Every structure is written in structure tokens, then in C-alpha cells.
Amino acid sequence: MSKTISYAPDAKGPLDGVRVVDLSRLVAGNMTTHVLADYGADVIKVERPGKGDDLRSWRVKGIETFWKVYARNKRSIALDIHEPDGRETLLRLIDSAQVLVENFVPGTLERWGLGPEDLLGRNPGLIILRVSGWGQTGSWRQKPGFGTLVEAMSGWAYMNGHPDKPPTLPPLALADMIAGLYGAAATLAALRAVEHGGAGQVLDLSLFEPIHAMIGAEAAHIRLTGEPTMRAGNQSSHTAPRNVYVCRDGGYVAMSGSMQSMAERILDTIGRPELKSDPRFADNAARVRNRDTLDAIIGGFVAERSQAENLALFEAAGVTVGPVCSVADLIDHPYVLDREALVEAPDEDMKTVPMPNIIPRFSAVAQPFRRPAPRLGEHSDEIRRELGMADGATR
């Protein structure tokens, strides 16, 4: 069983004193503010009365599981920002903040009279992170920009999957999550600039560019070869051997020989040292050209042994090998438990809810869990009082 944490509402993290007003919905903005909240920022979710953030609707058996993970350490205020009182409350919040995060269609804030010029005029040191599908500029700025479209457009889906199958989309909000991590890093850099006397500014973050950047050197490869990298399943187009191999008991092991010494070690371990001098496998380029033949040899060896036997054999030989695990396998996995990568957080619906720990670990400052994900509008009156306003009726 994972370690059960406790909440410490008055604890202070490394970003203590930084207030973030979060107008975003769904994943990318919530991922950004999830990181900032975990590091101690006072993240205030501004939510629509009666509905809240759309992430609340991603439920399993009626439980807001996504919200419980990505909204931890945040506070919630329910505001109708189109009503005078709600707008005034929002403006006071922004005046008190160092960061504003939003992910509306480009131009929306401007139509509401809340564009960057207006907000920076009120709060010159404000960092405004604007998240959108395709960015604030360019001919595609008004196009729908959900992560699925971006994952398809970026080149990621085209490269992912097996060569005889269609391109494969990820089973999770990958583009949004990568963008959220970029957003958190950029926000911290912008805050650092303000600390050194710089002005507030706008951070223009598209969902497209972060996942497109993950493609790495692919454009350079096309420039040299004239051909895009085709889907290769679990193989690699650039190193071999690299694959997932099925074991005798139906389990799987993943193996990578991306260094010459490691590839040779694999061949020694499967009892085929003569293949090290075989022209088909003597160096990485040759192995990539003949990867199907090499995988058949390695796969035949692995298939004769159980997953546990393969892991023990290859690990003893110093080969880079590991099991293919489901998330269910990881809940009580010794490594996950030792590392405290997953923790149990007290929860009013589930007693405890398993969720990833705060990452990475800081050696010199605390990283406390301060509060569970808030109920819609849970902190409305508390926040209004902090702003010098009377309690409101909106929830």
C-alpha cells in the first residue's frame, strides 16, 4: 500500500507568495497550475457558477477523478465574470496576482475588455500565460485546437503505431500535458525576470509547438533523406535492437541496445556471440537495416522463458531490460512504493485516492500537500474577504 499523506493547509512551498489566477479549463492550463500549486503557489481557480471547470465532468463511476489529481493544492471561487460583481472580484484578484492563466479562443479576453494591455495597465508585473491550440498569431489562431487535432497535426500520430496499421493517437491528453509542463517552466522563467526588474509580459503557448518540438531531429532527417520516418511499432528507426518481446507466460519485456556495447551484450546473453561479427549486425546502421531479422532471433530466445526468467537473466548480464507494466501492476510495485511515486491522499468520496506524488523532490525546501481538490466555489467567501470584499451569493 502506498504511503498515505496528510494535508497541511498552512504549510509553505518554494513558490509561497506567488498568486496564480487560473481561468483555464480542461487539461493544459490545469497541468500548468497543477505544477505551480504543487510548488506552493496560491492557485485560485475561477469557475463558472453551477458548472465549474469542464475537467470536473471527466468522471469514473460518478467520481471526479481527474479533478482530484490536477486540482489538488488549489482554491476555487465561483464567479460570473460577466456580471458587475463577478467582474469586479476578478479584477481585484488579478490586481493581487503575479500570474494569470487562460485558454480561451484568441481574442476572447480582448472582447471582454480584459486584454493584456488592459491587465498590464493595472498590474505591470503580471505574467499572462495564454494557452490555445494554435497560438495567438497566424492564420490558424481561430481554428479549434483540441489536443487530438494537435497530436494528429504535429507528426506524432503519423510516427506512432505499427507500419501496417493507421497512425495512432495517444490514449491520454499528451499534447495538453506536454504544453502544461512547458507553460509551468516558462511561467517560472518569466517570474524570475520580474524579480530582476523586468516587466510583466504575455506568454503565447500553443498546444501544437510543444509536442511538435518533441519530434526532435525529424525535420533534419527528412532534409537529409527526403523521407519521413515511418511507423515502426515498438522498434526504433534509429537504433536496434529495440522492441517489446513476448515471454512464454504471456508477459512482455522491453529491451534496448542503443549503444554498441549494449547490443553486443544482448547477443552474448542470448548465446549468439558470433552475430557480433556478422555483417548484418556488426554496427548500429546494419542492425537497423536488418532489425526484423534481429528481432526474430531475440524474440525466439525470449519466448522460451517466462517474464521473470528473462528479467533475471538479462539483468544479471547488465542488459537494459524491463517489464511492460500496466498501471494496475504499478499500484503495489516495490519500486513505486520505495520511491513513493504514488501516494494515497485522504478523500471524502473514496476514503483515499491514489495519485502521483509531487515531483521532483527538493532537498532544501518542503513540498507539502496543502489541500485536496476544492469543491466548486469552496473558497469563494474566503477569497472575497482576502480582497476586502463582502461575502457573495454566487457559488
Side-chain angles (χ1 to χ4, degrees), residues 163-177:
D164 58 341
K165 304 291 185 189
T168 302
L169 293 167
L172 69 164
L174 184 63
D176 294 77
M177 293 180 178

Side-chain angles (χ1 to χ4, degrees), residues 350-372:
M350 299 172 62
K351 294 185 179 178
T352 64
V353 57
M355 62 176 65
N357 205 342
I358 297 173
I359 50 176
R361 312 291 193 273
F362 286 59
S363 67
V365 291
Q367 293 168 278
F369 286 81
R370 290 171 291 133
R371 54 177 60 89

Side-chain angles (χ1 to χ4, degrees), residues 47-227:
E47 302 189 72
R48 290 168 291 178
K51 183 176 180 180
D53 192 312
D54 292 289
L55 193 63
R56 292 181 180 274
S57 68
W58 290 16
R59 303 183 178 191
V60 176
K61 293 188 174 181
I63 304 296
E64 299 174 344
T65 49
F66 286 89
W67 180 255
K68 289 180 185 298
V69 172
Y70 292 108
R72 71 189 186 194
N73 291 324
K74 303 177 185 180
R75 296 195 288 170
S76 171
I77 184 170
L79 292 178
D80 184 344
I81 64 176
H82 302 294
E83 294 293 332
D85 181 75
R87 184 182 178 90
E88 175 63 20
T89 305
L90 175 63
L91 288 173
R92 290 202 193 189
L93 264 179
I94 292 171
D95 289 347
S96 72
Q98 286 73 46
V99 179
L100 172 70
V101 178
E102 63 97 358
N103 70 336
F104 297 108
V105 174
T108 299
L109 286 186
E110 287 81 353
R111 289 198 305 274
W112 293 346
L114 298 171
E117 290 185 3
D118 302 295
L119 300 181
L120 289 170
R122 299 176 61 100
N123 185 349
L126 184 67
I127 306 303
I128 305 172
L129 175 65
R130 310 194 74 176
V131 185
S132 61
W134 310 103
Q136 300 294 318
T137 62
S139 58
W140 278 33
R141 63 189 295 268
Q142 295 293 322
K143 286 177 69 71
F146 276 41
T148 296
L149 307 185
V150 169
E151 289 148 4
M153 174 71 180
S154 66
W156 195 93
Y158 187 88
M159 296 173 66
N160 189 44
H162 290 269
D164 58 341
K165 304 291 185 189
T168 302
L169 293 167
L172 69 164
L174 184 63
D176 294 77
M177 293 180 178
I178 294 173
L181 294 174
Y182 268 90
T187 298
L188 293 175
L191 285 169
R192 176 71 168 169
V194 171
E195 287 179 355
H196 285 268
Q201 59 179 302
V202 176
L203 308 179
D204 178 2
L205 176 65
S206 73
L207 298 187
F208 173 81
E209 288 160 302
I211 192 170
H212 178 254
M214 294 294 100
I215 304 301
E218 178 64 8
H221 300 160
I222 293 172
R223 177 71 54 82
L224 291 171
T225 66
E227 297 289 340

Side-chain angles (χ1 to χ4, degrees), residues 216-240:
E218 178 64 8
H221 300 160
I222 293 172
R223 177 71 54 82
L224 291 171
T225 66
E227 297 289 340
T229 299
M230 291 303 297
R231 293 181 292 284
N234 292 310
Q235 293 177 326
S236 168
S237 300
H238 308 296
T239 65

Side-chain angles (χ1 to χ4, degrees), residues 5 16 21 26 31 44 97 120 132 150 155 158 162 179 201-202 215 225 237 252 254 281 287 296 312 329 378 384 386:
I5 60 95
D16 180 58
V21 176
L26 289 177
M31 186 66 179
I44 298 176
L120 289 170
S132 61
V150 169
Y158 187 88
H162 290 269
Q201 59 179 302
V202 176
I215 304 301
T225 66
S237 300
Y252 296 89
F281 313 122
R287 289 193 297 274
D329 295 330
E378 178 180 349
R384 288 174 65 91
E386 291 174 4

Side-chain angles (χ1 to χ4, degrees), residues 2 39 43 161 191 253 318 362:
S2 302
Y39 293 170
V43 174
L191 285 169
V253 293
F362 286 59

